[in-house]
Amino acid sequence: DVKVTQSSRYLVKRTGEKVFLECVQDMDHENMFWYRQDPGLGLRLIYFSYDVKMKEKGDIPEGYSVSREKKERFSLILESASTNQTSMYLCASSPGVAGIVRSYEQYFGPGTRLTVT
Amino acid sequence: AQSVTQLDSHVSVSEGTPVLLRCNYSSSYSPSLFWYVQHPNKGLQLLLKYTSAATLVKGINGFEAEFKKSETSFHLTKPSAHMSDAAEYFCVVSSLKAAGNKLTFGGGTRVLVKP
């Protein structure tokens, strides 16, 4: 079974803090993704990575950055957290040869519910 | 460009009755389509997927979906709802031309199952 784990289920941070959300997958997948989920808006893609050290902006990258130093780990960074970043954050991974487009399904972690006060 | 519209934000059914969740998509290229389910405080789980093989796709837990190109639809059905089906369901589209295997999600349909 594919397993995607996220470092925290619940997180409370203060405005202006630097926040790290970590995601690890154990299936040697090339592609990894970060989404945020808000009521009525569904899932929106923040960033994705199709290879180590490679990243691409998604639909809502503003206020976020990412890091992928190892294939199994993909980190989402909030440089200076703001209250409008309070949300559920979901990490996902999918197989795919690096640089070649495939429409594989994605496997999701349990999510991190982040509250910024 | 691609997009997904889930036509109902909420669906309420009685246990043992059929479930229908409606989804329409648009895509410039041959799409792959997925249905995911999310139970409260959980991640998303893949129910089923269509990737240009059979148009009627069977998934887990008795769900199935039919791809209809002429109607650009991918509706999800189950003949008999169970209490454990209460969850939020997402219709998702991906295009082979979309860089990096990006998925586009519908807004979700929340299913309530009454005893």
Side-chain angles (χ1 to χ4, degrees):
Chain A
D1 267 0
V2 176
K3 195 154 189 184
V4 180
T5 56
Q6 295 183 229
S7 51
S8 306
R9 291 300 307 276
Y10 300 93
L11 209 52
V12 179
K13 295 291 181 181
R14 293 197 181 276
T15 301
E17 278 193 81
K18 191 169 186 175
V19 181
F20 292 86
L21 302 182
E22 305 285 339
C23 175
V24 177
Q25 50 94 4
D26 66 356
M27 284 302 293
D28 201 35
H29 284 170
E30 284 76 15
N31 303 316
M32 296 188 74
F33 307 81
W34 275 106
Y35 296 89
R36 64 176 283 175
Q37 183 180 21
D38 300 289
L41 297 177
L43 273 75
R44 293 178 292 168
L45 181 65
I46 304 171
Y47 267 97
F48 66 99
S49 168
Y50 52 87
D51 201 355
V52 175
K53 297 192 185 296
M54 304 302 289
K55 60 186 179 184
E56 292 277 346
K57 293 180 180 178
D59 301 317
I60 51 163
E62 296 77 19
Y64 303 93
S65 62
V66 291
S67 172
R68 193 167 181 201
E69 297 295 319
K70 293 184 178 181
K71 190 175 186 179
E72 68 271 18
R73 187 179 296 270
F74 192 35
S75 302
L76 180 69
I77 303 154
L78 286 65
E79 295 289 344
S80 177
S82 64
T83 55
N84 63 13
Q85 293 178 310
T86 291
S87 186
M88 170 72 90
Y89 289 87
L90 291 165
C91 175
S93 72
S94 74
V97 177
I100 297 177
V101 175
R102 288 288 185 272
S103 289
Y104 294 110
E105 63 270 29
Q106 294 179 11
Y107 298 86
F108 284 82
T112 296
R113 188 167 293 282
L114 173 67
T115 302
V116 182
T117 61
Chain B
Q2 54 192 29
S3 66
V4 180
T5 302
Q6 291 183 242
L7 298 166
D8 306 291
S9 59
H10 293 80
V11 167
S12 181
V13 298
S14 297
E15 191 176 20
T17 65
V19 181
L20 168 65
L21 305 184
R22 299 180 295 164
C23 171
N24 287 112
Y25 71 91
S26 70
S27 177
S28 303
Y29 303 95
S30 298
S32 293
L33 292 154
F34 309 88
W35 276 98
Y36 283 85
V37 61
Q38 185 179 32
H39 288 93
N41 298 312
K42 302 277 189 179
L44 276 72
Q45 180 185 17
L46 181 69
L47 274 180
L48 50 80
K49 62 181 178 181
Y50 165 78
T51 54
S52 76
T55 56
L56 184 62
V57 182
K58 293 190 185 299
I60 62 171
N61 301 335
F63 285 94
E64 64 180 36
E66 187 170 10
F67 173 71
K68 292 187 176 180
K69 187 175 180 179
S70 61
E71 299 176 11
T72 60
S73 69
F74 190 57
H75 301 332
L76 181 71
T77 60
K78 182 173 181 177
S80 176
H82 191 271
M83 295 300 292
S84 61
D85 295 328
E88 189 160 21
Y89 293 78
F90 294 94
C91 183
V92 181
V93 66
S94 174
S95 166
L96 285 176
K97 287 290 187 178
N101 189 34
K102 286 170 61 178
L103 303 181
T104 301
F105 286 77
T109 299
R110 192 169 294 278
V111 173
L112 172 67
V113 181
K114 297 177 289 187

